[in-house]
């Protein structure tokens, strides 16, 4: 049975992928090739044509936003579908653990920590042991905990009900000045409170499956079909989980683009995608190379850039759209000039009818936004900065969620955050009394406060008001909508009034947005959810979507932009040491950096602008040089604006050549061809000429008057000559 409107809009490759339901299948889907359409169509095909119950189909995405978008599309074909397993890896593991974690002596209502919760735990550890940020910055400590968990068999230690198993691989844990001690204390806090952090979710499921084969068999048999998006970004743990779950039915369908692998720093390993057919016997490969996003001119530049990578699955995107403008490369003589040019072009686009919301400025690192921001302010162009999890990290949002969590979990972390916001007169002495009683009775700090409310020490405090607010909030949650309950709790606790008295409209707007997010969460779930589901859902959002201000230019890092598309894209700061980053030290790292650049360029639909600048920059500790990624794209594919200072391009090319040699990107005595036959160049003495050939380390160049000269590559004195714009 073929569903009307399901297969007919698909091209041949997409249709083949949708109907390839059995066995191990790898889909190499280039940027803008419609992979979401394929994943959605295949899910519906399996459910409606094959008749498989959605509960037995696992569809894994890498972001909550992508999961919500897929659910929305599926409901267009299957309005009655409820629940299902359209989730991220971590959300899927959370859902499994909710059902099975009792086998590890953990309660089913365990709490998932976010980064702020982790920092709160560290604060207590530091305070109790006389440690400060000078000993270990929180970021360094959290990184160490994550690395430890990725390399150690620690889960048995957390789940051992006898609490006697020594923590593995922590030989210096007795030394309070060691990182091992802090890690051990963090683990102890987790054990005591049955906390799980983000890294634990997959590790706990893997341990559960490996230590209890019956549970693995149960879930492997449960998921008859598994499909995974963005497979080029899976980590070793995620790959292992996918392999285990697919072991019973052997139906694993993966989609990805190895040219967009840009997360190796967080464990992604593109080899799992590239070697898929070697790891799974009989695996099939389908290539989706038709691009529906960008113009042929933009794709030509993108293909030229990524073709410079050697360790890749060969493919070249083919444009479906009609021709448009060439990508424009603007070379500026200063960073200010570069930013002003971007602002000027945005202003021109807007005056011609382009909406600000259809324009994005991308950069490699957040710090690069400053000059662009200043230029946009000068031109009075509205903009917004996309910064990942910023919304859920704002103080007022964390405070509000702490109140809701206190009503749901009654946990110590939420208590610590909420107890004196607004001020209730419960200072250090009273908090110490609460902690002492909680330790003596082995109860929560909230329960300890209940016991102490009548104590003379708490006579002049508002402790009773906090207790009443939490108790009434719990009862309100049982009978009312989640969004209404949140509003009630904030009102009853006095937090809403406290925010009103602060007089900060932005914070009030953020609280209203939080309430809207609760309603959106409930609506998008497609099934009944409670406060616990919402809170854990928020904790699982690794990079929450930034606020979407409708009529603003969007500024963001390339990593934030991955998965998005815009009609007009500016990629700035294309200089050596900036993009590619100065942190790149190896050939492998440089290939990933080029993939980052490729992701940036492939975000553009109609117009693409590339820019760099000259001058001194403290981030590179010297003069700015043109990025190798601009040299990777043949100049015939670009419209070039601006003039270069004398010798700038020669210095840039010389630096890049030496960098490649240092990284092992080419043999030390390689015949390095910077210019190709037919390219126009300028010599400081002989003037303008045309490259004829490269032989024995020298260019044969035809100059004016029909004279040829052999110019050694090692001389580094030839620079490009651009007839249209000149070259000073």
């Amino acid at each position: 049975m073929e569903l009307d409107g399901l297969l007919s809009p698909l091209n041949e490759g997409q249709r083949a992928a949708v109907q390839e339901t059995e066995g191990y299948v790898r889909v190499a889907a280039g940027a803008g090739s419609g992979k979401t359409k394929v994943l959605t169509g295949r899910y519906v095909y399996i459910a409606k044509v094959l008749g498989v119950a959605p509960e037995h189909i696992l569809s894994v995405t890498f972001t909550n936003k992508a999961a919500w978008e897929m659910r929305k599309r599926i409901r267009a074909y299957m309005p009655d579908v409820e629940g299902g397993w359209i989730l991220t890896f971590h959300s899927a593991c959370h859902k499994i653990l909710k059902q099975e974690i009792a086998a590890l002596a953990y309660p089913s209502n365990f709490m998932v920590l976010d980064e702020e919760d982790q920092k709160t735990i560290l604060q207590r550890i530091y305070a109790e042991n006389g440690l400060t940020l000078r000993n270990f910055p929180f970021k360094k400590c959290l990184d160490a905990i994550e690395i430890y968990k990725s390399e150690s068999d620690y889960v048995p230690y957390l789940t051992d009900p006898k609490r006697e198993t020594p923590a593995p691989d922590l030989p210096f844990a007795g030394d309070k000045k060691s990182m091992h001690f802090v890690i051990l204390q963090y683990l102890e806090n987790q054990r005591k409170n049955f906390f799980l952090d983000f890294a634990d979710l997959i590790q706990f499921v893997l341990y559960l499956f490996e230590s209890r084969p019956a549970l693995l068999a149960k879930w492997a048999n449960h998921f008859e079909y598994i499909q995974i998006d963005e497979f080029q970004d899976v980590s070793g743990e995620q790959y292992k989980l996918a392999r285990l779950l697919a072991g019973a039915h052997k139906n694993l369908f993966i989609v990805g683009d190895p040219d967009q692998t840009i997360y190796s720093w967080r464990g992604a390993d593109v080899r799992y995608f590239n070697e898929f057919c070697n790891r799974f016997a009989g695996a099939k490969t389908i290539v989706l190379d038709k691009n529906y996003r960008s113009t042929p001119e933009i794709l030509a530049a993108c293909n030229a850039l990524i073709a410079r990578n050697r360790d890749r699955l060969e493919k070249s995107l083919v444009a479906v759209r009609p021709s448009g403008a060439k990508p424009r490369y603007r070379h500026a003589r200063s960073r200010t000039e570069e930013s002003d040019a971007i602002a000027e072009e945005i202003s021109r686009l807007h005056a011609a009818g382009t909406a600000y919301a259809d324009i994005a400025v991308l950069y490699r690192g957040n710090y690069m936004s400053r000059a662009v921001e200043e230029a946009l302010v000068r031109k009075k162009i509205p903009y917004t900065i996309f910064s990942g999890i910023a919304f859920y990290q704002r103080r007022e949002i964390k405070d509000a969620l702490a109140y809701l969590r206190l009503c749901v979990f009654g946990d110590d972390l939420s208590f610590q955050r909420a107890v004196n916001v607004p001020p209730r007169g419960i200072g250090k002495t009273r908090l110490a009394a609460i902690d002492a009683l909680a330790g003596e009775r082995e109860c929560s700090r909230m329960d300890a406060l209940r016991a102490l409310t009548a104590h003379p020490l708490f006579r002049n405090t508002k402790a009773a008001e906090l207790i009443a607010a939490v108790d009434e909030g719990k009862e309100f949650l049982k009978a009312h909508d989640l969004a209404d309950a949140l509003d009630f709790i904030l009102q009853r606790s006095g937090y809403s009034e406290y925010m009103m008295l602060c007089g900060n409209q932005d914070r009030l707007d953020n609280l209203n947005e939080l309430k809207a997010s609760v309603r959106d969460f409930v609506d998008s779930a497609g099934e009944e959810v409670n406060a616990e589901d919402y809170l854990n859902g928020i904790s699982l959002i690794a990079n929450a979507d930034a606020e979407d201000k409708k009529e603003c230019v969007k500024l963001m890092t390339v990593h934030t932009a991955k998965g998005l598309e815009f009609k007009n894209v500016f990629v700035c700061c294309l200089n050596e040491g900036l993009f590619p980053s100065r942190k790149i030290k190896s050939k492998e790292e440089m290939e990933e950096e080029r993939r980052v650049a490729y992701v940036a360029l492939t975000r553009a639909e109609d117009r693409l602008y590339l820019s760099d600048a000259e001058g001194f920059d403290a981030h590179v500790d010297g003069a700015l040089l043109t990025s190798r990624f601009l040299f990777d794209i043949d100049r015939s594919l670009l419209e070039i604006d601006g003039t270069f200072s004398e010798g700038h391009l020669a210095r840039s090319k010389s630096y890049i050549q030496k960098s490649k040699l240092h990284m092992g990107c080419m043999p030390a005595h390689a015949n390095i061809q910077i210019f190709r036959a037919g390219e126009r160049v300028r010599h400081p003495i002989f003037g303008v000429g045309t490259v004829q050939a490269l032989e024995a380390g020298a260019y044969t160049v035809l100059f004016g008057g029909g004279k040829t000269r052999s110019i050694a590559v090692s001389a580094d004195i030839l620079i490009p000559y651009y007839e249209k714009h000149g070259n000073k």
Side-chain angles (χ1 to χ4, degrees):
M1 175 182 86
E2 180 174 322
L3 295 177
D4 292 338
L6 178 62
L7 297 179
S8 54
L10 305 179
N11 65 38
E12 184 179 351
Q14 293 169 338
R15 194 177 298 113
V18 166
Q19 296 179 295
E20 194 68 68
T21 61
E22 309 304 310
Y24 296 103
V25 183
R26 175 180 66 175
V27 178
S33 61
K35 63 182 180 65
T36 304
K37 185 185 294 185
V38 166
L39 287 162
T40 301
R42 186 174 181 271
Y43 185 103
V44 175
Y45 188 89
I46 292 171
K48 300 293 286 186
V49 178
L50 302 187
V52 177
E55 183 66 18
H56 296 280
I57 307 170
L58 174 61
S59 188
V60 179
T61 67
F62 262 75
T63 66
N64 288 278
K65 181 179 179 180
W68 293 336
E69 177 63 25
M70 187 172 292
R71 292 192 203 106
K72 178 182 175 182
R73 294 195 187 192
I74 288 170
R75 289 198 189 101
Y77 295 100
M78 303 166 61
D80 57 337
V81 67
E82 295 288 342
W85 290 79
I86 307 170
L87 301 164
T88 64
F89 270 111
H90 291 88
S91 295
C93 286
H94 179 262
K95 196 169 180 177
I96 291 172
L97 289 174
K98 289 286 289 183
Q99 297 185 44
E100 308 293 358
I101 201 168
L104 301 178
Y106 260 61
S108 61
N109 65 336
F110 62 89
M111 193 175 83
V112 181
L113 305 172
D114 63 14
E115 187 171 313
E116 283 300 304
D117 297 328
Q118 292 178 291
K119 289 179 180 178
T120 301
I121 291 174
L122 291 178
Q123 285 176 339
R124 293 193 66 187
I125 293 171
Y126 285 22
E128 292 170 356
N129 295 281
L131 299 172
T132 70
L133 293 176
R134 291 185 177 180
N135 297 110
F136 308 110
F138 285 162
K139 179 66 167 63
K140 182 179 179 181
C141 200
L142 292 175
D143 287 345
I145 291 169
E146 186 175 353
I147 293 170
Y148 168 77
K149 289 187 173 182
S150 69
E151 297 177 348
S152 302
D153 185 23
Y154 72 95
V155 178
Y157 175 68
L158 291 184
T159 59
D160 180 8
K162 296 181 180 179
R163 309 289 196 242
E164 295 176 354
T165 307
D169 305 318
L170 293 175
F172 306 109
D175 180 3
K176 287 189 176 184
K177 299 297 183 181
S178 74
M179 181 69 77
H180 287 171
F181 173 81
V182 178
I183 294 173
L184 180 61
Q185 294 302 306
Y186 178 86
L187 294 176
E188 280 293 322
N189 197 288
Q190 282 194 266
R191 287 207 310 181
K192 178 182 176 182
N193 296 283
F194 299 107
F195 291 153
L196 267 66
D197 62 30
F198 198 69
D200 295 325
L201 294 171
I202 293 179
Q203 297 283 12
F204 265 59
V205 171
L206 287 174
Y207 176 74
L208 193 70
F209 286 168
E210 291 172 342
S211 62
R212 288 143 175 96
L215 287 179
L216 170 59
K218 169 187 171 181
W219 286 99
N221 279 298
H222 180 82
F223 295 123
E224 298 177 21
Y225 293 89
I226 300 172
Q227 56 182 37
I228 302 175
D229 192 13
E230 303 287 5
F231 199 81
Q232 78 279 352
D233 290 330
V234 298
S235 65
E237 290 82 11
Q238 291 165 339
Y239 170 77
K240 187 176 183 180
L241 181 62
R243 180 174 56 79
L244 289 173
L245 288 175
H249 297 282
K250 303 187 185 316
N251 291 325
L252 178 59
F253 181 90
I254 68 166
V255 180
D257 183 5
D259 288 334
Q260 296 188 66
T261 303
I262 61 175
Y263 293 113
S264 64
W265 49 272
R266 71 181 189 191
D269 192 337
V270 71
R271 290 177 299 177
Y272 295 124
F273 185 93
N274 289 341
E275 299 173 7
F276 186 83
C277 293
N278 297 328
R279 294 171 183 262
F280 298 98
K284 304 171 185 176
T285 295
I286 298 171
V287 178
L288 303 181
D289 59 1
K290 288 185 171 61
N291 177 285
Y292 294 85
R293 176 184 299 161
S294 307
T295 63
E297 289 77 11
I298 292 173
L299 280 189
C302 296
N303 287 332
L305 172 69
I306 201 62
R308 297 286 182 163
N309 275 1
R310 296 290 175 256
D311 298 329
R312 61 186 290 264
L313 183 68
E314 287 291 335
K315 71 176 187 325
S316 187
L317 294 177
V318 179
V320 175
R321 294 184 58 193
S323 289
K326 285 184 180 180
R328 182 181 296 177
Y329 164 40
R330 169 78 185 203
H331 177 79
R333 300 298 285 270
S334 70
R335 182 67 69 221
T336 299
E337 181 183 305
E338 178 188 11
S339 300
D340 285 343
I342 291 172
E344 186 64 37
E345 181 64 14
I346 291 174
S347 184
R348 189 192 68 78
L349 288 171
H350 185 65
T354 300
Y356 285 133
D358 289 331
I359 302 171
V361 182
L362 310 184
Y363 34 79
R364 182 62 178 84
N366 279 308
Y367 68 90
M368 299 176 190
S369 72
R370 179 193 59 80
V372 177
E373 288 186 69
E374 292 178 356
L376 294 177
V377 170
R378 288 193 292 270
K379 294 290 288 185
K380 298 183 177 173
I381 296 172
Y383 69 91
T384 181
I385 295 181
F386 276 44
S387 56
I389 62 173
F391 179 78
Y392 289 102
Q393 294 300 323
R394 292 170 188 169
R395 192 187 81 186
E396 62 274 12
I397 302 303
K398 297 296 293 184
D399 290 343
L401 292 176
Y403 273 108
L404 184 57
R405 290 190 351 175
L406 196 56
C407 293
V408 176
F409 298 111
D411 64 286
D412 289 350
L413 295 178
S414 301
F415 176 90
Q416 182 171 332
R417 186 173 192 99
V419 64
N420 275 314
V421 185
R424 295 189 175 93
I426 305 175
K428 290 184 178 180
T429 302
R430 293 180 174 109
L431 285 173
I434 293 170
D435 286 345
L437 186 62
E440 180 182 328
R441 295 187 177 183
E442 295 185 349
C443 66
S444 71
R445 300 168 87 188
M446 191 69 196
D447 287 338
L449 179 62
R450 292 179 194 278
L452 290 169
T453 304
H455 193 281
L457 184 63
F458 289 81
R459 185 171 296 157
N460 296 317
T461 70
K462 296 181 179 179
E465 293 181 16
L466 174 61
I467 292 171
V470 171
D471 290 344
E472 291 175 28
K474 287 180 180 178
E475 292 301 316
F476 199 91
L477 275 166
K478 295 177 182 177
H480 293 82
D481 176 83
L482 183 56
D484 292 337
L486 175 62
D487 187 59
F488 173 85
I489 293 166
L490 296 182
Q491 293 285 349
R492 183 64 183 83
S493 65
Y495 190 78
S496 292
E497 182 181 3
Y498 173 68
M499 282 287 100
M500 289 288 291
L501 292 174
C502 289
N504 189 312
Q505 189 58 49
D506 287 338
R507 290 181 177 174
L508 293 172
D509 290 341
N510 288 335
L511 286 175
N512 288 330
E513 184 62 24
L514 178 65
K515 296 169 188 176
S517 80
V518 175
R519 298 193 187 280
D520 289 342
F521 181 87
V522 173
D523 292 340
S524 66
E527 56 187 305
E528 186 176 349
V529 296
N530 55 32
E532 184 182 327
D533 295 323
Y534 172 73
L535 289 168
N536 282 322
I538 292 300
S539 296
L540 291 169
I541 298 175
N543 286 297
D545 299 324
E547 292 179 284
D548 187 13
K549 299 178 182 178
K550 299 296 183 184
E551 259 309 292
C552 288
V553 175
K554 298 174 177 63
L555 275 59
M556 67 188 77
T557 65
V558 179
H559 284 84
T560 301
K562 190 173 183 294
L564 304 178
E565 57 189 35
F566 308 93
K567 292 186 181 300
N568 309 275
V569 171
F570 293 79
V571 185
C572 64
C573 302
L574 283 162
N575 290 99
E576 290 292 311
L578 299 180
F579 200 177
S581 167
R582 65 187 182 280
K583 298 177 182 179
I584 305 304
K585 304 297 183 185
S586 68
K587 178 177 78 99
E588 293 74 21
E589 290 176 345
M590 185 58 72
E591 293 219 339
E592 174 154 338
E593 193 76 353
R594 186 173 282 106
R595 292 195 294 268
V596 176
Y598 177 75
V599 168
L601 270 59
T602 54
R603 299 310 94 195
E605 298 178 10
D606 300 337
R607 298 181 184 89
L608 174 63
Y609 301 86
L610 311 173
S611 62
D612 73 329
E614 297 182 26
F616 178 84
D617 192 284
H619 293 288
V620 301
D621 195 27
L624 290 170
L625 301 172
T626 296
S627 170
R628 68 193 69 199
F629 301 149
L630 289 167
F631 292 117
D632 288 343
I633 304 170
D634 192 281
R635 73 183 189 195
S636 65
L637 302 176
L638 303 172
E639 180 183 340
I640 302 171
D641 291 327
T643 59
F644 300 84
S645 63
E646 187 70 45
H648 172 81
L649 288 177
R651 288 191 297 273
S652 298
K653 289 181 178 239
S654 177
Y655 172 85
I656 294 166
Q657 177 180 320
K658 293 173 183 175
S659 170
K660 288 179 178 180
L661 290 169
H662 180 72
M663 292 183 195
C665 298
M666 58 180 67
H669 303 291
N671 219 17
I672 304 165
Q673 185 171 359
I674 298 175
F675 298 107
R676 300 182 179 89
E679 289 193 89
R680 299 277 280 169
V681 295
R682 190 175 68 177
H683 188 279
I685 305 296
F686 302 133
V688 177
T690 303
V691 176
Q692 305 295 298
L694 170 66
E695 296 178 359
Y699 296 108
T700 300
V701 184
L702 176 63
F703 292 99
K707 295 183 178 181
T708 61
R709 295 285 189 273
S710 296
I711 308 297
V713 172
S714 59
D716 281 338
I717 61 174
L718 294 177
I719 60 176
Y721 176 75
Y722 301 107
E723 279 114 335
K724 182 177 178 181
H725 300 286
N727 193 13
K728 296 180 180 180

